[in-house]
Amino acid sequence: RFVVCCMTISLITGCGAKGNPGEGTASTAQSDSSNQSGAQTQADTLHVHVFKIGKADAILLMCGDKTMIIDCGEDEDGEEILSYLLDRGFEKVDVLLITHYDKDHVGGADYVVRENKVDQVILPAYVGTNSEYMDFMKALDQKKISRTEVTEPMEFSLGQASVTVEPPQSYVIPNDGKE
């Protein structure tokens, strides 16, 4: 179970991987399923890549031919995230989840949205106030991408992985959202 600042994300794996996740993969989760010989197969692997971008947060999940990005770091980090995806043959983001609107979580999200196809966007249920949030919302509007705000637990599949996203217990924003 990942605890990601404002939201909780649970993963149950059993998914195939597309290609080599490459260097920098922070961890690999494997399901309990195995092939007939008892060995784990590539089809049982969820690849998790945690970007090394200073104190900012950006995590990429790859399961089969599906991708999910959790947060996008700061403004300058969006390009690195997309470059990593494209280098591995992924031409779209299936799910983009932003846990909260601090600039070190939402900063690169506008670039990811502007420069690539994004199928689904999942957001916290409050309005941000910083310029990074405003740039992200503008990019979503320009590309006509709808958003899902997390107000109750939601479940979906990412390839063969099952993902559960739970909202925070409260949306108390320190310093009235000012950084």
Side-chain angles (χ1 to χ4, degrees), residues 65-69 82 85 90-97 112-122 136 140 143-148 154 156-159:
D65 64 351
K66 303 295 182 185
T67 59
M68 178 175 172
I69 298 173
L82 278 190
L85 276 170
F90 293 100
E91 296 182 6
K92 71 173 181 160
V93 175
D94 294 288
V95 179
L96 172 59
L97 183 141
V112 169
V113 167
R114 279 194 324 269
E115 301 298 324
N116 204 350
K117 181 174 177 8
V118 177
D119 285 344
Q120 181 180 11
V121 175
I122 301 171
F136 176 49
L140 289 174
K143 295 281 285 264
K144 297 178 174 48
I145 298 173
S146 63
R147 310 140 181 125
T148 301
M154 63 184 293
F156 58 92
S157 294
L158 184 72

Side-chain angles (χ1 to χ4, degrees), residues 91-107:
E91 296 182 6
K92 71 173 181 160
V93 175
D94 294 288
V95 179
L96 172 59
L97 183 141
I98 302 297
T99 60
H100 63 287
Y101 299 127
D102 286 358
K103 66 181 180 179
D104 59 336
H105 292 258
V106 73

